[in-house]
């Protein structure tokens, strides 16, 4: 059997470009009002900003839901579960902050409009009945967040590694959140 020549695919991949110092300096002087966004930014910036705004809405809906559950939690296990709700509320708020900061860095505007928050959010604002219901609803919301962050990471890929890193950091925390609730439900006794 004759050996195949080097794959055609490999030959079409462009060599990594290292720009010379003079061009690098000249490029940096163009459109300086774009701040951190330079001509080599290759992601679809508008789309990235939109996705980040959808995630921002999701985070705020989660903050509100967690606070509602924190204040409404009652029952035998309430103290332990309340502590988790509060911690998550604060972490979701921190996620919202990271997303808003990145949106501004990309030249966009973070959308905090409360009138459209639930319509733009991936996760729902579910009040839940008893404590177990609340935990279940939060687990579902976390699972929605996990899927949407994973999709966003795949969309952004290596075209915007800063955004990707932020999304990966948030995703890891959402996975932790979901894991905690799954463990709680697993050993749940009573209603
Ligand atoms: Fe979050
Ligand atoms: Fe979360």
């Amino acid at each position: 059997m004759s050996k195949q020549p080097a794959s055609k695919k490999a030959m079409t991949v462009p060599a990594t470009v290292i720009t010379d110092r003079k061009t690098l300096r000249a490029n940096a002087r163009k459109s300086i009002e774009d701040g951190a966004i330079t001509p080599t930014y290759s992601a679809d910036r508008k789309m990235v900003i939109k996705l980040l705004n959808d995630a921002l809405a999701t985070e705020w809906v989660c903050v509100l839901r967690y606070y509602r559950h924190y204040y409404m939690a009652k029952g035998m296990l309430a103290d332990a579960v309340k502590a988790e709700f509060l911690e998550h509320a604060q972490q979701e708020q921190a996620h919202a902050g990271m997303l808003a900061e990145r949106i501004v860095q990309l030249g966009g505007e973070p959308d905090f409009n409360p009138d459209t928050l639930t319509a733009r959010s991936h996760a729902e604002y579910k009040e839940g009945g008893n404590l177990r219901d609340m935990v279940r609803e939060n687990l579902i919301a976390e699972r929605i967040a996990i899927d949407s962050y994973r999709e966003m990471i795949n969309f952004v890929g290596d075209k915007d590694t800063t955004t990707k890193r932020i999304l990966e950091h948030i995703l890891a925390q959402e996975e932790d959140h979901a894991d905690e609730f799954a463990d709680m439900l697993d050993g749940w006794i009573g209603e």
Side-chain angles (χ1 to χ4, degrees):
M1 233 167 66
S2 64
K3 242 188 157 189
Q4 291 284 320
S7 106
K8 271 189 180 166
K9 199 175 170 212
M11 281 155 53
T12 57
V13 172
T16 306
V17 177
I18 301 292
T19 311
D20 65 90
R21 191 176 291 110
K22 196 177 161 202
T23 314
L24 212 54
R25 288 177 179 176
N27 284 345
R29 286 183 181 279
K30 290 177 202 159
S31 318
I32 59 166
E33 65 281 0
D34 287 343
I37 306 307
T38 62
T40 56
Y41 183 88
S42 60
D44 178 345
R45 189 154 59 108
K46 279 213 172 94
M47 188 60 183
V48 173
I49 290 168
K50 195 224 167 260
L51 293 175
L52 292 176
N53 258 321
D54 289 349
L56 179 69
T58 304
E59 294 292 352
W60 272 104
V61 166
C62 291
V63 171
L64 298 170
R65 195 192 56 253
Y66 275 125
Y67 274 122
R68 156 86 189 189
H69 291 178
Y70 169 68
Y71 288 110
M72 289 299 289
K74 274 192 269 193
M76 291 266 289
L77 302 165
D79 284 351
V81 180
K82 268 174 94 126
E84 289 300 327
F85 289 166
L86 181 62
E87 192 185 85
H88 289 197
Q90 291 162 343
Q91 286 175 342
E92 311 304 8
Q93 196 170 339
H95 295 167
M98 290 174 213
L99 296 167
E101 231 165 75
R102 186 59 184 157
I103 289 168
V104 174
Q105 271 183 354
L106 290 174
E109 293 181 9
D111 189 347
F112 288 98
N113 187 346
D115 288 341
T116 57
L117 214 51
T118 47
R120 292 183 291 117
S121 164
H122 298 122
E124 295 167 284
Y125 180 87
K126 291 276 190 190
E127 295 183 341
N130 56 28
L131 196 57
R132 190 181 191 164
D133 252 7
M134 293 177 188
V135 172
R136 209 173 155 269
E137 285 306 334
N138 287 318
L139 172 57
I140 292 166
E142 294 292 351
R143 285 168 56 82
I144 292 169
I146 288 168
D147 271 349
S148 65
Y149 278 117
R150 199 170 284 138
E151 273 182 9
M152 272 187 264
I153 290 165
N154 289 336
F155 177 83
V156 172
D158 288 330
K159 289 182 176 164
D160 178 347
T161 51
T162 306
T163 298
K164 188 182 171 199
R165 217 166 42 241
I166 293 166
L167 296 173
E168 283 174 340
H169 168 80
I170 297 175
L171 171 63
Q173 277 203 327
E174 311 303 11
E175 286 176 341
D176 269 350
H177 292 171
D179 202 38
E180 282 165 17
F181 289 137
D183 281 351
M184 270 186 205
L185 286 177
D186 201 29
W188 201 276
I189 300 162
E191 264 201 45

